Amino acid sequence: MNDKETELISRCQQGDQDALKEIFNQYHKKVYRIAYGVVRHREDALDVVQEVFIKLFRSIKNFKGKSAFYTYLYRLAMNTAIDHSRRGKKGTFFSLDEEGGFQPSDSPDKRPDQIVARKEVEEKVRWAIDQLPQDQKETLIYREIEELSYEEIAEATGCSVGTVMSRLHYGRKKLQVLLKDMVNPVRNSSGI
Amino acid sequence: MKNSCSSVSPLIERYFDRQATDEERALVERHLPVCTTCSEKLMALEGLKNALKAPVDEALQEETFPWVWEKIEKNIRMERKPSWWNLLRSWLDLSYLLRKRVWIPAVATAIVLALIISPFLFQKTPSYLEASVVEYVESDTHNVMVYDLETGQVTVIWLFEEPEEETFSS
């Protein structure tokens, strides 16, 4: 944690909203990636981003600086996204009439069949991720989407590097089975 | 280290995650061109990563975060603004007074005032003189009632004729 970040956090702990805005500007895209990685839906991900920064403002007084700030924020983002996903908000993507206009992918250059196909893929990935135990889900998202190192994941999840590797291995194995059509299309199309 | 599937296969994931040591990486890179199984294992890892990550990257690229900060700001402002109930509670909150021990002289003053005012508040103001019949004497023509007033200082003797109709009725 550098001096500027320490000062920002300290100001935020004293209730300075401008400091929170700076933290938001710095981290909102990373939080969005984690949120989208879990909920797989644009509006839900935006809701999660909003919720995370409101929660951060309320809870930042509890941050003692023992771990890196980003791991604290990522943990908050991950827990909020998983809670949001459990509550099952919005979630179904198949209705183009209801959802089509709100998706970022629904730009004019995309055909409706492409939009539907993408939503179906997203729904399937979300379904597969939801089949994983929470620890494997978190570890996979930190690694595959946010590309944290094993050590960073261990810090964010509060476990050892060995446990991280094990969770990654079993999580990947399970997802490869659940998403075999998407993960290995060449093999599948050749009928092997 | 041996350049065989059994020794390289466990390293594939670490290699893929860029967490392998230089020696491990060199071993894997020597092995992959000659082993279809390990190459496919690596491709499957890439395929999975792509399935998970590519849609997120695409969504982020297109995202404009409309009004997100404004909504956060508004929410925080709403939380900070006290509700009418909280305002009322703060007005009624006696904890400040209790903390400051102002209540000791306040209670003492209230007791003194109560002692001064109470005689006036509880003073009796009889609206009429209460009396009790001491004696009642009846005759054929007259009745006599003797009253003692409450004070005991005055005695009233009331002599009256019995009404005719009553006489008549009896």
Side-chain angles (χ1 to χ4, degrees):
Chain A
M1 207 157 46
N2 59 36
D3 290 347
K4 198 190 168 200
E5 192 166 87
T6 310
E7 190 225 321
L8 264 183
I9 292 162
S10 167
R11 277 171 52 206
C12 200
Q13 284 172 329
Q14 287 157 23
D16 185 343
Q17 274 190 51
D18 292 335
L20 181 72
K21 191 176 183 179
E22 285 187 50
I23 293 173
F24 172 83
N25 289 335
Q26 204 172 322
Y27 285 105
H28 70 282
K29 286 184 181 173
K30 287 178 188 296
V31 171
Y32 181 83
R33 289 171 68 84
I34 291 174
Y36 197 97
V38 177
V39 299
R40 298 270 151 186
H41 185 273
R42 185 223 176 189
E43 289 197 324
D44 284 348
L46 288 175
D47 283 350
V48 171
V49 172
Q50 195 181 315
E51 206 177 325
V52 166
F53 284 95
I54 292 166
K55 278 185 182 173
L56 175 71
F57 195 67
R58 281 189 209 138
S59 68
I60 198 164
K61 282 178 189 153
N62 303 329
F63 176 70
K64 307 290 179 203
K66 286 177 186 168
S67 59
F69 175 69
Y70 75 87
T71 57
Y72 177 80
L73 183 60
Y74 283 8
R75 211 162 39 232
L76 191 62
M78 183 64 79
N79 291 338
T80 308
I82 289 173
D83 283 350
H84 198 94
S85 184
R86 277 198 198 121
R87 289 201 298 266
K89 277 189 154 186
K90 299 156 192 172
T92 307
F93 307 98
F94 295 104
S95 169
L96 184 63
D97 292 331
E98 283 175 23
E99 300 287 342
F102 298 103
Q103 288 291 312
S105 58
D106 301 352
S107 48
D109 59 317
K110 293 211 169 167
R111 297 200 320 263
D113 57 332
Q114 287 176 320
I115 296 166
V116 173
R118 173 172 162 171
K119 285 176 182 173
E120 282 178 358
V121 167
E122 290 285 60
E123 180 67 4
K124 191 166 184 187
V125 171
R126 178 179 169 168
W127 166 80
I129 289 173
D130 282 347
Q131 307 305 305
L132 299 177
Q134 187 173 328
D135 51 6
Q136 289 176 15
K137 190 191 298 184
E138 285 177 13
T139 310
L140 265 168
I141 287 168
Y142 283 139
R143 178 62 221 161
E144 303 291 39
I145 294 171
E146 207 41 47
E147 296 187 324
L148 297 187
S149 69
Y150 290 170
E151 283 77 14
E152 287 171 323
I153 298 171
E155 195 183 332
T157 54
C159 65
S160 67
V161 169
T163 308
V164 169
M165 288 167 70
S166 159
R167 285 174 182 171
L168 268 179
H169 177 72
Y170 288 107
R172 278 168 168 160
K173 247 179 133 175
K174 194 165 182 182
L175 278 190
Q176 277 170 350
V177 173
L178 294 170
L179 300 171
K180 60 182 176 208
D181 302 344
M182 295 162 65
V183 171
N184 206 352
V186 178
R187 226 182 178 200
N188 194 51
S189 62
S190 64
I192 298 170
Chain B
M1 226 182 252
K2 279 172 71 180
N3 186 8
S4 67
C5 255
S6 58
S7 53
V8 173
S9 184
L11 303 175
I12 296 285
E13 270 188 78
R14 289 218 328 253
Y15 172 77
F16 175 72
D17 288 331
R18 295 186 197 128
Q19 305 285 306
T21 63
D22 290 346
E23 192 189 350
E24 287 168 342
R25 200 173 62 244
L27 183 70
V28 173
E29 282 172 359
R30 271 202 311 275
H31 178 75
L32 284 175
V34 294
C35 179
T36 320
T37 312
C38 288
S39 298
E40 281 184 355
K41 202 173 171 183
L42 189 65
M43 277 174 64
L45 289 170
E46 276 166 6
L48 179 64
K49 187 184 186 84
N50 193 46
L52 296 176
K53 190 171 178 279
V56 179
D57 289 342
E58 200 181 330
L60 182 62
Q61 209 174 0
E62 293 166 350
E63 190 54 74
T64 55
F65 296 94
W67 306 106
V68 175
W69 169 251
E70 286 77 8
K71 285 178 195 167
I72 294 167
E73 206 175 24
K74 188 180 169 191
N75 204 299
I76 291 170
R77 212 181 310 125
M78 294 277 283
E79 273 184 14
R80 282 182 161 182
K81 191 177 167 187
S83 64
W84 65 270
W85 172 243
N86 287 335
L87 275 173
L88 185 66
R89 281 181 62 181
S90 70
W91 275 100
L92 296 174
D93 188 12
L94 295 174
S95 59
Y96 177 77
L97 292 177
L98 294 174
R99 263 201 314 276
K100 289 284 176 187
R101 292 184 180 275
V102 177
W103 60 274
I104 297 172
V107 170
T109 311
I111 290 169
V112 170
L113 279 173
L115 286 172
I116 295 168
I117 293 169
S118 60
F120 298 103
L121 286 176
F122 300 111
Q123 196 176 29
K124 270 192 174 176
T125 51
S127 57
Y128 59 93
L129 286 172
E130 288 184 15
S132 57
V133 176
V134 174
E135 202 171 352
Y136 188 82
V137 181
E138 287 182 37
S139 72
D140 292 340
T141 52
H142 293 85
N143 291 340
V144 178
M145 287 180 82
V146 180
Y147 294 86
D148 254 352
L149 289 180
E150 197 182 33
T151 54
Q153 293 166 350
V154 181
T155 301
V156 177
I157 298 170
W158 188 11
L159 180 68
F160 56 97
E161 288 182 14
E162 193 171 19
E164 278 184 16
E165 57 271 26
E166 280 185 22
T167 312
F168 178 76
S169 65
S170 65

